[in-house]
Amino acid sequence: MGPRRCTRTGCSQAAVATLTYDYGDSVVILGPLATYAEPHSYDLCAEHATRLSAPQGWQVVRLASATAEPPEPSVDDLVALAEAVREVGTRPVTQEPAEPPRPSLRLVRPDHP
């Protein structure tokens, strides 16, 4: 069994995105290719995912792009990560009690102080 194919009629391209309809909210959701094929969702190739349109009055929600490469981390991202790791590494290690102390209750009868 090879890669999943686009479910559009006549298309034999590899699927890269999954389309799902939310009929209750009139929303079309397009996201990355689902882990496995669902009976009520549709797998689309990059071209059909890009050209997707919704019925009139419906909203299209595009989740993380399945067709675009994720951006490379910037120098600022890497410096911030290094500083966060350094900060955690300099914190003193404290041991927490195994169990938090339980509140104690004392019964008091109205005739005894």
Side-chain angles (χ1 to χ4, degrees):
M1 183 173 174
R4 295 199 323 249
R5 300 284 171 203
C6 181
T7 55
R8 293 291 301 257
T9 304
C11 185
S12 62
Q13 296 296 312
V16 297
T18 298
L19 170 76
T20 307
Y21 290 100
D22 181 344
Y23 294 97
D25 291 329
S26 300
V27 175
V28 177
I29 303 164
L30 182 68
L33 186 63
T35 306
Y36 53 91
E38 289 283 338
H40 299 290
S41 46
Y42 305 89
D43 295 336
L44 299 176
C45 66
E47 179 182 351
H48 286 118
T50 302
R51 295 185 348 194
L52 172 73
S53 63
Q56 187 173 4
W58 284 55
Q59 178 184 4
V60 176
V61 174
R62 294 179 187 268
L63 302 177
S65 176
T67 58
E69 291 293 318
E72 292 291 321
S74 70
V75 172
D76 291 339
D77 293 335
L78 296 174
V79 169
L81 178 61
E83 288 174 358
V85 169
R86 189 175 312 124
E87 180 183 330
V88 170
T90 59
R91 289 184 189 161
V93 177
T94 59
Q95 267 202 290
E96 296 182 19
E99 236 180 79
R102 294 182 184 190
S104 61
L105 297 176
R106 192 178 94 170
L107 296 176
V108 178
R109 291 182 20 190
D111 56 340
H112 290 352

